[in-house]
Amino acid sequence: MTTSAIENWDWSRPVFDHLHLRVADLAASRAFYLAALRPLGIPLLIDTPETVQFPNLALSADGEPSARVHVAFVAADEDAVAAFHAAGVAAGGRDNGAPGPRRYGPPGSTYHAAYVLDPDGNNVEAVFRSFGG
């Protein structure tokens, strides 16, 4: 992608329909994601013994756990990023990057993010992007 393409991309455009993570312990992952995603306004939609589903994210324990996945969720603002991080750590996740600005995105934009490792060691991020002067 050229700089021009990066600057002109509509970062609000969805490009994935959903992500399915296989987990070692469905109850532990349910508790972690329920707590971490609450500050982002992402609700639990389906909760059965076989699967847990949030909008665009499904969890199941029906195979080898997914490994070394990085998933980033959109946050409404910097406060939501901080709340995600605090909730994720309180729910048993491990800090993998405190809330703060990062050097990603086109010139003139901001990228404020935090990272928490889920119970299976996947890197879960909340990010707030803003564009313009």
Side-chain angles (χ1 to χ4, degrees):
M1 218 177 206
T2 66
T3 300
S4 177
I6 290 170
E7 291 171 355
N8 293 320
W9 177 255
D10 176 3
W11 289 94
S12 66
R13 177 183 162 205
V15 294
F16 291 101
D17 184 80
H18 69 278
L19 174 68
H20 178 182
L21 295 178
R22 286 183 171 76
V23 300
D25 181 335
L26 189 58
S29 291
R30 177 197 181 281
F32 169 80
Y33 281 96
L34 186 64
L37 298 180
R38 184 175 292 127
L40 304 178
I42 300 173
L44 178 63
L45 301 176
I46 297 172
D47 189 4
T48 73
E50 294 80 29
T51 187
V52 172
Q53 293 187 22
F54 299 86
N56 308 97
L57 174 67
L59 307 173
S60 68
D62 60 347
E64 282 295 311
S66 303
R68 302 181 59 98
V69 174
H70 176 131
V71 59
F73 292 93
V74 175
D77 54 34
E78 293 177 10
D79 290 340
V81 170
F84 154 85
H85 185 265
V89 170
R94 289 177 293 155
D95 171 40
N96 200 34
R102 303 296 194 266
R103 290 191 225 167
Y104 306 123
S109 68
T110 60
Y111 190 106
H112 192 89
Y115 307 86
V116 179
L117 298 177
D118 76 4
D120 292 294
N122 295 304
N123 190 32
V124 184
E125 174 185 4
V127 60
F128 169 67
R129 294 177 183 262
S130 62
F131 302 93

